[in-house]
Amino acid sequence: LRIRGIGSIESGMVRTPRINAVDMLDLDLDVPELDEQRRIADFLDDQVARIDKIIAAREQQLALTDGMRLNLARDLIAQLDTGPGPPLSAVALIVDTEHKTAPEATGGGHWSAWTGAIRRGELARPLLREIDRSTYLEWTRRTVPVPGDVLLTREAPVGEVALLGPDDQNVAIGQRVVLARPTRLDSEYLRLVLMSPVFDRLVADTTQGSLHPHLNMGDIARMRVPKADM
């Protein structure tokens, strides 16, 4: 039994649906009048435009909500007494990266989190640089980044932060990026501390007057982490 344009049934088995040029010539199509075609096209254009506006408004709403949450957290952390807080090195493992740029490799299946991909507390995945497995293994000899690790840029630019999540797999830290793995601290709290005025002051004091602002490992290790006994 042959069903034109759909496929065929042979010996009780259904073959993969397909259509060829001869079938296309035999297809009957109901074509509306030109005015009706234009009305349909205009209607669809209008609906697509409406959907695009809804999506844009929703994205703006989410951005505003995230900004309010972050600003509230920053304000709360800024009110904490930083005096008795421990240095970052006492509550987190701090790992530097290779001091060279990882070579890119299209189709490598692994990724380098360079400074440009670390923005406003998150990893900008579309900006990650793709590398191959051998490069990934070389760049993760000191430690393999895992969800919950916090990445910090210490140069070009200084002080951008990202918290690695469950979807951030096969990611190595790139040049001028430091990994902080909390040992006695909540990962989300550390991310907020590094995005708060507490860290801003450290950056300002350390890089004041520098033509090329940067943080060294000692500066980062000595940073006092506010206590959160709340």
Side-chain angles (χ1 to χ4, degrees):
L1 175 62
R2 182 71 177 173
I3 305 176
R4 174 167 292 171
I6 300 299
S8 63
I9 302 175
E10 296 180 357
S11 303
M13 298 181 64
V14 179
R15 305 176 73 182
T16 303
R18 63 182 182 274
I19 189 167
N20 56 39
V22 176
D23 296 328
M24 290 289 292
L25 292 174
D26 290 342
L27 287 176
D28 293 326
L29 297 177
D30 292 327
V31 180
E33 295 295 330
L34 186 58
D35 288 345
E36 182 66 16
Q37 294 179 40
R38 288 171 177 164
R39 283 195 293 270
I40 293 172
D42 290 343
F43 172 77
L44 293 177
D45 286 344
D46 180 68
Q47 293 303 304
V48 169
R50 288 172 180 266
I51 292 172
D52 287 343
K53 288 181 179 179
I54 292 172
I55 292 174
R58 178 59 175 166
E59 290 176 346
Q60 184 178 22
Q61 182 185 41
L62 290 174
L64 289 173
T65 301
D66 288 342
M68 291 174 63
R69 180 178 63 86
L70 178 60
N71 288 336
L72 176 60
R74 285 170 58 95
D75 290 343
L76 289 174
I77 290 173
Q79 295 173 22
L80 297 175
D81 181 10
T82 63
L88 182 60
S89 58
V91 293
L93 171 69
I94 305 172
V95 181
D96 198 6
T97 186
E98 298 286 342
H99 290 226
K100 54 185 178 181
T101 301
E104 297 185 49
T106 302
H110 296 71
W111 311 93
S112 172
W114 65 295
T115 57
I118 299 171
R119 287 289 182 272
R120 292 186 56 79
E122 298 179 350
L123 204 58
R125 293 198 61 84
L127 299 180
L128 293 176
R129 291 175 173 168
E130 193 167 14
I131 58 177
D132 60 24
R133 180 163 179 78
S134 62
T135 301
Y136 171 79
L137 293 175
E138 180 181 357
W139 258 253
T140 56
R141 283 181 302 181
R142 299 176 184 179
T143 191
V144 177
V146 297
D149 288 345
V150 178
L151 306 186
L152 171 68
T153 64
R154 61 189 190 92
E155 186 177 351
V158 176
E160 288 290 346
V161 180
L163 174 62
L164 295 187
D167 296 332
D168 299 321
Q169 303 293 333
N170 296 331
V171 175
I173 54 175
Q175 189 176 16
R176 305 185 185 93
V177 176
V178 173
L179 179 148
R181 177 171 298 164
T183 54
R184 296 169 48 200
L185 205 63
D186 178 77
S187 295
E188 177 66 21
Y189 179 71
L190 176 58
R191 179 181 79 129
L192 293 173
V193 167
L194 294 176
M195 297 176 70
S196 74
V198 173
F199 188 71
D200 292 343
R201 288 195 296 272
L202 171 67
V203 173
D205 293 343
T206 305
T207 64
Q208 186 175 12
S210 175
L211 294 177
H212 303 287
H214 71 280
L215 293 174
N216 61 44
M217 294 298 290
D219 297 328
I220 297 170
R222 288 189 293 271
M223 188 197 79
R224 293 283 177 172
V225 178
K227 297 180 68 175
D229 299 329
M230 301 173 64

